[in-house]
C-alpha cells in the first residue's frame, strides 16, 4: 500500500462535496471536498511504483480542470483512463 500526495494550482471551487466510484478491482473511489485556492490530492493505492504515472495523469487533469478542492483517491489498480473518468465524474457531481 502506498500513499502519494500532490498539490496543483486551482481557482474553481465546486458547489458541494461528492463521492463517486468504489474501491474494487480495477476501480477507484474519489471523495471531493470544496476548498479554496488549490487542489490537494491524496492517493492511496494498492499498486506501488507508479508515482510518475499518477503525477502525469493528475497534472494533465488539473491543467484542464482547475477545481479547488481536497481529493481523496482510493485506488485498487485503476488505469489512467478510469482515474480521469472518476475525477471528471466527481467535479460534474460537485457542480449541482
Amino acid at each position: 500500500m502506498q500513499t502519494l500526495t500532490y498539490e496543483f494550482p486551482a481557482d474553481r471551487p465546486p458547489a458541494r462535496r461528492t463521492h463517486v466510484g468504489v474501491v474494487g478491482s480495477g476501480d477507484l473511489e474519489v471523495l471531493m471536498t470544496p476548498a479554496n485556492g488549490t487542489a490537494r490530492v491524496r492517493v492511496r493505492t494498492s499498486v506501488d511504483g507508479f508515482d510518475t504515472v499518477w503525477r502525469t495523469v493528475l497534472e494533465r487533469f488539473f491543467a484542464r480542470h482547475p477545481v479547488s478542492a481536497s481529493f481523496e483517491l482510493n485506488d485498487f489498480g485503476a488505469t489512467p483512463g478510469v482515474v480521469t473518468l472518476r475525477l471528471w465524474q466527481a467535479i460534474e457531481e460537485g457542480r449541482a
Side-chain angles (χ1 to χ4, degrees):
M1 195 68 148
Q2 186 174 18
T3 301
L4 309 168
T5 56
Y6 303 98
E7 283 193 22
F8 303 97
D11 58 4
R12 296 184 205 152
R16 63 187 182 104
R17 295 174 57 146
T18 61
H19 175 203
V20 297
V22 295
V23 182
S25 182
D27 210 344
L28 177 79
E29 174 185 55
V30 176
L31 302 148
M32 180 183 74
T33 305
N36 289 320
T38 190
R40 288 186 177 87
V41 183
R42 181 174 69 182
V43 179
R44 284 189 235 158
T45 180
S46 61
V47 184
D48 293 343
F50 283 84
D51 309 43
T52 304
V53 174
W54 276 105
R55 175 166 291 287
T56 301
V57 169
L58 294 171
E59 282 174 346
R60 286 180 185 164
F61 183 83
F62 287 105
R64 293 183 190 120
H65 308 283
V67 176
S68 57
S70 175
F71 293 85
E72 267 189 63
L73 281 58
N74 298 308
D75 171 53
F76 199 69
T79 64
V82 171
V83 172
T84 301
L85 172 68
R86 291 287 182 227
L87 286 168
W88 184 82
Q89 286 176 323
I91 63 171
E92 284 298 309
E93 287 284 321
R95 288 185 180 160

